[in-house]
Amino acid sequence: AQTIHQWPVAEIKAVGSPLSLGCTIKGKSSPNLYWYWQATGGTLQQLFYSITVGQVESVVQLNLSASRPKDDQFILSTEKLLLSHSGFYLCAWPDKNTEVFFGKGTRLTVV
Amino acid sequence: QQKVQQSPESLIVPEGGMASLNCTSSDRNVDYFWWYRQHSGKSPKMLMSIFSNGEKEEGRFTVHLNKASLHTSLHIRDSQPSDSALYLCAASPPNYNVLYFGSGTKLTVEP
């Protein structure tokens, strides 16, 4: 069975500080991977998708970047956090034509 | 402009009652629809998917899809307090690289 692991579970970071969030998927070869963001009380928005190692496509611009350094790993980062980056970050992979599976998420609070 | 619109924003039904939720996409490119349930602080979990015109039933849950109007609805019969959650509608184009979510319907089932 496929599993998605996200780290960290939660972060409290200062405005202007860097950020790195990680996602690893096990049990699936060459998965498509997605990053989603959900502001508190807000809509779930897809930020990035990646079809293969080294290739990342942006869906929504939020002054964030993403990288796919390994087949099973997807990283979300920024060099300078804004207050508006607070929220719930979710990594996901689609099982084509059935459903998109989500990780447990990272709760980010920017202060 | 949000590509998926859901109504109502919130819904209160008595235990044992019927809950009806609606979702429409404004993007003619979408082809697949899902319904997800998200409990507070948790990641979304898929309830049902529907890709063809018509109706699909699984236990207490029924979904309808009209592809001509890009409208889908979710009906929950015999609603239980444990059904209380945020219900998210999602749609994607055939390439499946991007999944658009609506802002959700907050369902409360009162004992």
Side-chain angles (χ1 to χ4, degrees):
Chain A
Q2 297 81 15
T3 58
I4 302 178
H5 175 59
Q6 286 190 243
W7 72 93
V9 172
E11 280 259 54
I12 300 176
K13 302 276 282 185
V15 169
S17 63
L19 174 77
S20 180
L21 303 180
C23 167
T24 298
I25 180 167
K26 298 298 181 189
K28 179 74 178 174
S29 176
S30 302
N32 288 4
L33 290 172
Y34 303 155
W35 275 113
Y36 281 87
W37 170 73
Q38 188 178 34
T40 302
T43 304
L44 200 58
Q45 292 187 69
Q46 188 170 345
L47 302 176
F48 299 96
Y49 69 88
S50 173
I51 297 170
T52 189
V53 173
Q55 183 181 346
V56 176
E57 300 294 332
S58 173
V59 179
V60 170
Q61 286 294 331
L62 278 184
N63 293 309
L64 295 167
S65 59
S67 63
R68 181 91 177 260
K70 301 179 187 177
D71 187 53
D72 65 350
Q73 199 172 80
F74 205 16
I75 306 294
L76 185 70
S77 61
T78 182
E79 292 188 2
K80 202 175 262 193
L81 277 166
L82 307 172
L83 281 174
S84 58
H85 286 138
S86 292
F88 195 35
Y89 288 85
L90 291 155
C91 180
W93 72 271
D95 189 353
K96 208 165 181 98
N97 294 343
T98 60
E99 70 176 279
V100 172
F101 293 93
F102 289 88
K104 292 187 176 180
T106 295
R107 179 79 54 190
L108 174 67
T109 304
V110 183
V111 296
Chain B
Q1 182 194 0
Q2 206 161 318
K3 292 180 184 280
V4 175
Q5 295 81 38
Q6 289 186 244
S7 64
E9 283 187 20
S10 63
L11 182 63
I12 300 174
V13 299
E15 185 174 356
M18 171 77 85
S20 295
L21 292 69
N22 295 293
C23 170
T24 303
S25 176
S26 56
D27 187 341
R28 300 298 315 179
N29 292 318
V30 302
D31 212 32
Y32 305 133
F33 289 85
W34 291 265
W35 285 94
Y36 278 78
R37 181 163 69 183
Q38 186 179 27
H39 286 103
S40 182
K42 304 292 185 184
S43 57
K45 295 284 192 294
M46 192 194 76
L47 276 175
M48 293 185 73
S49 60
I50 188 161
F51 304 148
S52 305
N53 274 324
E55 176 181 301
K56 185 175 173 182
E57 181 177 333
E58 290 179 6
R60 298 184 293 112
F61 300 89
T62 303
V63 290
H64 295 266
L65 176 61
N66 180 326
K67 279 199 152 182
S69 60
L70 295 178
H71 179 264
T72 178
S73 58
L74 171 69
H75 306 272
I76 308 171
R77 62 177 171 80
D78 190 24
S79 297
Q80 301 298 308
S82 57
D83 293 329
S84 297
L86 183 67
Y87 287 77
L88 300 169
C89 174
S92 82
N95 67 17
Y96 209 67
N97 287 330
V98 181
L99 201 63
Y100 304 110
F101 280 85
S103 54
T105 293
K106 184 179 177 184
L107 174 64
T108 303
V109 182
E110 291 186 334

